[in-house]
Amino acid sequence: MPLPANFPCTAAVVGGGPAGLMAAEALSGHGVRVDLFDAMPSVGRKFLIAGKGGMNITHSEPAAAFRARYREREADIAPLLDTFGPNALREWIAGLGIATFVGSSGRVFPADMKAAPLLRAWLKRLRETGVRFHMRHRWCGWTLENGQRALRFSTPHGERSVFAGAVVLALGGGSRAKLGSDGRWVRQMEQAGIPIAPLRPANCGFDVGWSAHLRERFAGRPVKPVVASLADRAGKRIRQAGEFVVTATGVEGGLIYALSAPLRDAIEANGSALLHLDLLPGREWRYVVDEIAHPRGSRSLSGHLQSRLGLKGVKVALLRECVAPEAFSDPEKLAAAIKALPLRLVAPRPLDEAISSAGGVMFEALDKNLMLHKLPGTFCAGEMLDWEAPTGGYLLTACFAGGRAAGLGALGWLNREGGGNPNPPFPQDAS
Ligand SMILES: Cc1cc2nc3c(=O)[nH]c(=O)nc-3n(C[C@H](O)[C@H](O)[C@H](O)COP(=O)(O)OP(=O)(O)OC[C@H]3O[C@@H](n4cnc5c(N)ncnc54)[C@H](O)[C@@H]3O)c2cc1C
């Protein structure tokens, strides 16, 4: 049934990703009637995609290491994790009848590795506690009607105004727009005077600008094992072991995602980022020199590198691509390139291709319950806040924790003493 043109409700949650659903649960679990709105025909689309190929929901590493993953935002995210961290999240998943396990890397997965059964069980429970879902309701900002602030929605039945006693916005970041999180909310929030850090790609690939030879012969090939290193903003060397994939335009994959924040920052500051790749992580430079210098007889250099060092295929192609030809006749220089191949990255891939986004609603705009100072009664959660983290379960954990905090904040707002006008106008309109 379509909503009436003016719809009063107790609590409105806008955005049905993990953060919004968790906010809805925090409210409905305390007996609050929740109306959840989402622009898409169904909720949790990005969550379901995250579950493809293994839903990595959190991580088992010690709390201090876990928190450090949020870099500059550690102090803002830590209080959320204090009340709903990785262990609480695993217990909560168990409450949905789904066991979790710790993989060899310390990452935590649901027993069947899938997102769909978890989402199904969760939505069932939310419906049972009275959460009403309004799909294809796109939030388009606020409107002021008779001195009251209302949420404005575009729906298949025309525009609707929703008057809510408390609001949680959990609209996601700006990547993978076709899953719902298109970042169009940025303009509406900015118009309301909310400070927003620009959305930028996080956990993303990068462009290199390969030669036609490398692109045509090696795009799609994995490069492993390698250790990548780069200098961060403070000049400190960051090292990361793993693997990546050569793409038609550059590089992507776990190792690159893990370093994507400092790589992106370096490109923003200097126009490009220099990554060094150790193509033979298990071997010392001296050993590599000696093996290259070993007489090779009539063998080609490629054959020699393969037989003495096991270097072949895409690794040798990268050497040819990134190292001056003279180095190939000097064992010390060639060994230096093998141990620290300079790879210059020139641009991050576009935001829409990224796994997640950095930037969003600045924490300075929020109180400790994630309520907007400027719009009392309106809370924000999830990837739309200005934090970022690598893959490894850190994204979802912070979305769940933030959604719960915002939901509980909204609950506190609804139950506050004095009540007052549940939908005060914007501060600037209140004169
Ligand atoms: C390919 C891929 C793999 C991933 N794998 C992992 C992983 O293994 N582990 C991990 O921790 N994280 C992973 N992530 C990231 C994780 O899925 C996201 O960080 C998380 O879903 C963000 O949750 P959210 O609730 O903040 O936003 P979202 O899940 O993006 O949900 C936002 C919701 O808001 C709705 N919305 C947006 N604008 C409006 C509007 N104007 N009106 C109404 N509704 C609106 C959208 O339709 C959407 O339903 C992955 C992401 C991708 C793309």
Side-chain angles (χ1 to χ4, degrees), residues 66-139:
F66 193 103
R67 283 157 192 215
R69 305 290 181 175
Y70 300 92
R71 304 203 319 155
E72 292 88 346
R73 292 284 165 262
E74 180 179 348
D76 299 299
I77 299 294
L80 307 177
L81 300 175
D82 282 344
T83 50
F84 199 73
N87 292 333
L89 178 57
R90 290 184 70 183
E91 275 171 35
W92 174 83
I93 297 169
L96 286 169
I98 291 169
T100 52
F101 73 95
V102 181
S104 53
S105 59
R107 293 173 180 225
V108 176
F109 303 88
D112 61 1
M113 305 286 279
K114 293 186 182 142
L118 195 160
L119 184 63
R120 252 196 320 272
W122 192 12
L123 291 178
K124 179 169 176 288
R125 192 163 78 185
L126 288 170
R127 285 199 180 92
E128 283 166 1
T129 54
V131 177
R132 293 184 292 203
F133 290 86
H134 308 278
M135 296 296 100
R136 296 190 169 93
H137 281 60
R138 168 169 290 283
W139 176 68

Side-chain angles (χ1 to χ4, degrees), residues 261-294:
L263 287 170
R264 184 202 58 221
D265 292 348
I267 292 172
E268 279 172 7
N270 312 317
S272 67
L274 189 60
L275 192 62
H276 284 99
L277 298 174
D278 183 346
L279 300 176
L280 283 177
R283 300 295 189 192
E284 292 299 322
W285 173 78
R286 188 71 252 170
Y287 174 90
V288 178
V289 175
D290 292 346
E291 290 301 305
I292 295 171
H294 197 276

Side-chain angles (χ1 to χ4, degrees), residues 81-415:
L81 300 175
D82 282 344
T83 50
F84 199 73
N87 292 333
L89 178 57
R90 290 184 70 183
E91 275 171 35
W92 174 83
I93 297 169
L96 286 169
I98 291 169
T100 52
F101 73 95
V102 181
S104 53
S105 59
R107 293 173 180 225
V108 176
F109 303 88
D112 61 1
M113 305 286 279
K114 293 186 182 142
L118 195 160
L119 184 63
R120 252 196 320 272
W122 192 12
L123 291 178
K124 179 169 176 288
R125 192 163 78 185
L126 288 170
R127 285 199 180 92
E128 283 166 1
T129 54
V131 177
R132 293 184 292 203
F133 290 86
H134 308 278
M135 296 296 100
R136 296 190 169 93
H137 281 60
R138 168 169 290 283
W139 176 68
C140 312
W142 290 274
T143 176
L144 204 58
E145 291 183 16
N146 303 325
Q148 296 233 310
R149 174 162 33 94
L151 298 165
R152 207 159 50 81
F153 286 93
S154 138
T155 84
H157 305 284
E159 283 225 349
R160 294 290 184 265
S161 296
V162 172
F163 296 85
V167 175
V168 177
L169 298 175
L171 303 166
S175 75
R176 315 279 175 130
K178 72 176 193 316
L179 302 173
S181 48
D182 56 16
R184 277 157 68 181
W185 53 264
V186 168
R187 200 164 59 86
Q188 281 117 23
M189 298 290 269
E190 282 177 341
Q191 279 171 354
I194 312 296
I196 309 287
L199 297 184
R200 297 177 298 157
N203 294 300
C204 57
F206 289 85
D207 288 339
V208 174
W210 300 125
S211 65
H213 171 77
L214 199 109
R215 186 172 62 242
E216 282 156 21
R217 298 274 311 272
F218 294 97
R221 298 282 178 87
V223 184
K224 58 181 180 179
V226 281
V227 172
S229 68
L230 81 153
D232 72 5
R233 272 186 287 210
K236 204 178 116 217
R237 205 93 210 137
I238 311 170
R239 286 170 61 81
Q240 179 84 31
E243 60 183 78
F244 67 91
V245 176
V246 169
T247 66
T249 61
V251 288
E252 67 174 25
L255 175 61
I256 301 298
Y257 297 160
L259 296 171
S260 63
L263 287 170
R264 184 202 58 221
D265 292 348
I267 292 172
E268 279 172 7
N270 312 317
S272 67
L274 189 60
L275 192 62
H276 284 99
L277 298 174
D278 183 346
L279 300 176
L280 283 177
R283 300 295 189 192
E284 292 299 322
W285 173 78
R286 188 71 252 170
Y287 174 90
V288 178
V289 175
D290 292 346
E291 290 301 305
I292 295 171
H294 197 276
R296 66 178 158 110
S298 59
R299 228 180 358 216
S300 69
L301 181 61
S302 294
H304 186 62
L305 290 176
Q306 177 166 357
S307 77
R308 302 299 310 181
L309 292 165
L311 268 184
K312 58 181 177 171
V314 65
K315 284 189 174 176
V316 173
L318 285 171
L319 274 174
R320 299 259 182 223
E321 181 85 3
C322 304
V323 180
E326 310 83 76
F328 287 84
S329 50
D330 179 333
E332 292 205 346
K333 282 192 182 148
L334 186 55
I338 290 169
K339 292 298 291 172
L341 183 76
L343 183 63
R344 192 163 288 283
L345 311 184
V346 293
R349 293 298 300 158
L351 174 59
D352 195 48
E353 286 179 23
I355 298 281
S356 60
S357 51
V361 177
M362 291 182 176
F363 278 89
E364 293 72 10
L366 302 161
D367 73 6
K368 65 177 180 14
N369 296 317
L370 304 183
M371 184 172 83
L372 290 165
H373 295 300
K374 202 145 200 180
L375 298 179
T378 299
F379 298 74
C380 295
E383 212 183 295
M384 74 181 291
L385 302 186
D386 179 22
W387 57 272
E388 65 178 308
T391 55
Y394 309 103
L395 294 163
L396 283 172
T397 306
C399 289
F400 283 118
R404 185 170 175 278
L408 292 177
L411 177 72
W413 173 259
L414 289 169
N415 291 338

